[in-house]
Amino acid sequence: MTLPVTPPYANLSDPSFRLAMMRRTVAVVLSEGSLWYPLLNLIATYLDGLASGPKGGTKAAYIEYVSANLPGLSAAVGAQSFYENFRNATVHEFSLKPGFAIVRDSGMQGVYARKQQIAGVPGDTALLNIDLLAKEFLAHLDAVLAQHISPSP
């Protein structure tokens, strides 16, 4: 799929432009390799924009959107758990809730999420594979973009 050419202005009223900007940004930050936390922050906030619930209904819309569109994430940690333990702390505190962490795929060998003991940290820590989350999110954006962009001949 060919992404639309970036115009010399930000046409935020065009869904294809917004979606392409989301996709490009996530792809660039993912490819950099060491910006795990900003990558989580981008994905969490972009999901907010895609879910766009009514005032007072943000959480419900977010959970519904993630459940419907990110089945790997939903199965691995649950949409509500992602919202409460990753998204909220990421967006509002630039942190994660205690007992939750993000890791690279090199440490997870293709597993989306698991609980693990970490030296010096009491109890189990729920680990989320940021690479798999980013790949699933990019695939979702590709599917949404395909609905907005006509295929190249």
Side-chain angles (χ1 to χ4, degrees):
M1 168 179 42
T2 304
L3 294 177
V5 175
T6 303
Y9 55 88
N11 183 2
L12 296 176
S13 66
D14 177 5
S16 295
F17 176 81
R18 288 193 316 267
L19 293 164
M21 285 288 107
M22 284 182 191
R23 194 198 191 294
R24 287 179 180 145
T25 304
V26 169
V28 166
V29 175
L30 175 62
S31 71
E32 195 283 333
S34 66
L35 298 172
W36 316 359
Y37 192 79
L39 182 59
L40 177 61
N41 195 287
L42 282 170
I43 293 169
T45 56
Y46 287 161
L47 284 167
D48 267 325
L50 292 168
S52 63
K55 186 173 182 160
T58 300
K59 179 179 180 178
Y62 194 102
I63 291 168
E64 183 179 327
Y65 191 90
V66 169
S67 295
N69 295 291
L70 299 175
L73 177 63
S74 294
V77 299
Q80 183 166 341
S81 178
F82 180 77
Y83 182 87
E84 293 173 353
N85 299 299
F86 291 94
R87 179 260 182 216
N88 277 355
T90 299
V91 171
H92 298 293
E93 302 163 15
F94 204 74
S95 183
L96 291 175
K97 295 287 185 189
F100 294 86
I102 54 174
V103 295
R104 297 304 305 263
D105 189 52
S106 59
M108 296 284 279
Q109 295 84 36
V111 174
Y112 211 127
R114 71 170 178 240
K115 290 189 176 188
Q116 179 176 316
Q117 287 277 319
I118 298 177
V121 177
D124 285 339
T125 299
L127 307 176
L128 176 65
N129 185 329
I130 189 65
D131 294 307
L132 291 185
L133 172 60
K135 288 175 185 171
E136 183 176 30
F137 184 70
L138 289 170
H140 171 62
L141 287 177
D142 287 342
V144 175
L145 268 164
Q147 297 171 2
H148 292 279
I149 300 171
S150 55
S152 299

